[in-house]
Amino acid sequence: MSPPLYDYQLKRRGSILGLPLDGLNIHEIIDILDMSLQKRRAVALSGDGAISENELSHIVTLNPEIAWAAYNDPLLFRAVCSAELVIPDGIGVYLAAKLRGEQIPQRVTGFDLMQRLLELAAIKGYRVFLLGASPGVAEEAATAALQRLPSLQIVGTADGYFREIDEPDLLERIASLDVDMLFCALGAPRPAEPWIYRNRENLPVGLAMGVGGSFNVMAGRIRRAPRWMQRAGLEWLFRVILEPRRLLRIAVFPRFVLTALTYKENDQTEY
Ligand code: UDP
């Protein structure tokens, strides 16, 4: 990361459960990432370095589930701590951070950030790769995105059910496509954050971001919560109503809040 650009962000880096959390609004996030992508392209064009020069920005959209899992899992903890941007996505993370006095201007959901980044890509000609979800869904999401943004360059798609043995070929394919933005709709048992962290040396892309179930929403396979529920921070409730088994996943919420609010910096586990 180039220091001048990231000074902007690092000044406003707070923390939750010992994990970093960046207090930026969506315009600042888009500006930072656009500048970083532009710089990466300029370096490649100037001949000073190949476009494959690793300048990856890993963006984590933090919700209570990821934060709690990272608190309890060294690999995920390192993955989140090494991310260039950590954005408060879940309302639980946002509120807990606010109650702890962190300077967090707004909650930015992964889905909204992804849509804004796609708009930026359509304007600036950034090359996009969609990785993840069940076979066919990334293509449907790409078709929907192209209907909305006809100038968007989606240079490749792949589903998220690849075998470990096929991973090197997939990474090579992504590397060969000069990708600026890699969106990863991956989930358990291979969530995006540790996958990006583990493979970052082999991912010569400008930015990589885990986007959970966003491709399913873009493809029209899952409905997003109505606007009023999004605004009220109740998106999680809508998703539990659609998929009651999610209740198990969000059951960590009370423990997350309690631990986050009573957390002292020197409690931090050194992994
Ligand atoms: N998924 C995948 N590969 C896997 C497991 C899950 O591509 O091995 C996809 C799954 O199809 C879904 C996404 O990852 O599209 C995860 O979505 P989920 O709703 O669980 O994530 P959340 O939005 O809750 O973070």
Side-chain angles (χ1 to χ4, degrees):
M1 265 320 129
S2 80
L5 187 61
Y6 276 80
D7 273 359
Y8 177 45
Q9 166 233 330
L10 290 172
K11 273 193 211 124
R12 289 191 241 163
R13 181 155 269 204
S15 76
I16 191 86
L17 274 188
L19 301 161
L21 192 64
D22 294 308
L24 299 165
N25 67 38
I26 193 151
H27 307 292
E28 292 167 327
I29 297 168
I30 296 287
D31 275 0
I32 287 177
L33 293 170
D34 187 23
M35 281 191 270
S36 156
L37 291 171
Q38 273 182 45
K39 182 179 167 254
R40 184 173 167 272
R41 288 221 155 253
V43 168
L45 286 174
S46 72
D48 290 352
I51 194 135
S52 61
E53 188 175 299
N54 210 321
E55 290 255 8
L56 170 78
S57 301
H58 179 190
I59 309 162
V60 171
T61 56
L62 201 64
N63 59 30
E65 283 163 61
I66 300 178
W68 187 249
Y71 183 68
N72 291 290
D73 169 9
L75 177 66
L76 188 53
F77 185 87
R78 283 201 300 271
V80 177
C81 287
S82 72
E84 278 71 17
L85 279 180
V86 183
I87 312 295
D89 173 342
I91 186 72
V93 166
Y94 174 79
L95 289 178
K98 284 293 239 193
L99 287 172
R100 281 191 64 100
E102 299 288 351
Q103 302 293 310
I104 305 291
Q106 67 177 160
R107 183 170 81 101
V108 176
T109 68
F111 184 84
D112 290 332
L113 180 57
M114 178 184 175
Q115 304 315 307
R116 294 294 296 272
L117 285 169
L118 289 179
E119 287 158 21
L120 176 73
I123 294 167
K124 297 284 181 84
Y126 294 135
R127 295 161 66 83
V128 173
F129 194 102
L130 302 185
L131 166 67
S134 306
V137 176
E139 288 80 356
E140 286 173 32
T143 305
L146 285 168
Q147 261 162 20
R148 187 165 77 86
L149 304 163
S151 63
L152 187 63
Q153 291 187 63
I154 298 188
V155 296
T157 57
D159 71 71
Y161 291 84
F162 49 89
R163 296 173 305 170
E164 217 169 304
I165 194 173
D166 296 325
E167 205 171 280
D169 286 347
L170 173 67
L171 289 167
E172 233 171 78
R173 189 176 151 225
I174 295 171
S176 71
L177 287 168
D178 272 354
V179 173
D180 294 297
M181 299 184 183
L182 172 67
F183 295 101
C184 303
L186 301 172
R190 184 173 35 211
E193 282 66 35
W195 189 82
I196 294 170
Y197 174 67
R198 195 162 43 79
N199 290 303
R200 57 178 297 152
E201 293 306 315
N202 300 317
L203 280 172
V205 303
L207 68 85
M209 171 179 168
V211 293
S214 297
F215 294 179
N216 291 302
V217 175
M218 289 168 68
R221 293 199 181 204
I222 293 182
R223 253 187 344 122
R224 207 178 169 204
R227 268 252 172 262
W228 71 266
M229 280 184 114
Q230 290 176 35
R231 277 199 216 103
L234 291 174
E235 212 159 353
W236 59 272
L237 178 62
F238 185 79
R239 299 188 75 181
V240 167
I241 294 167
L242 288 189
E243 275 179 86
R245 67 190 166 83
R246 276 185 177 273
L247 204 51
L248 277 180
R249 288 171 47 176
I250 62 159
V252 300
F253 186 76
R255 274 204 291 168
F256 159 78
V257 174
L258 208 66
T259 314
L261 293 184
T262 54
Y263 183 86
K264 294 191 193 73
E265 283 311 315
N266 46 8
D267 286 351
Q268 190 155 348
T269 328
E270 281 299 335
Y271 288 126

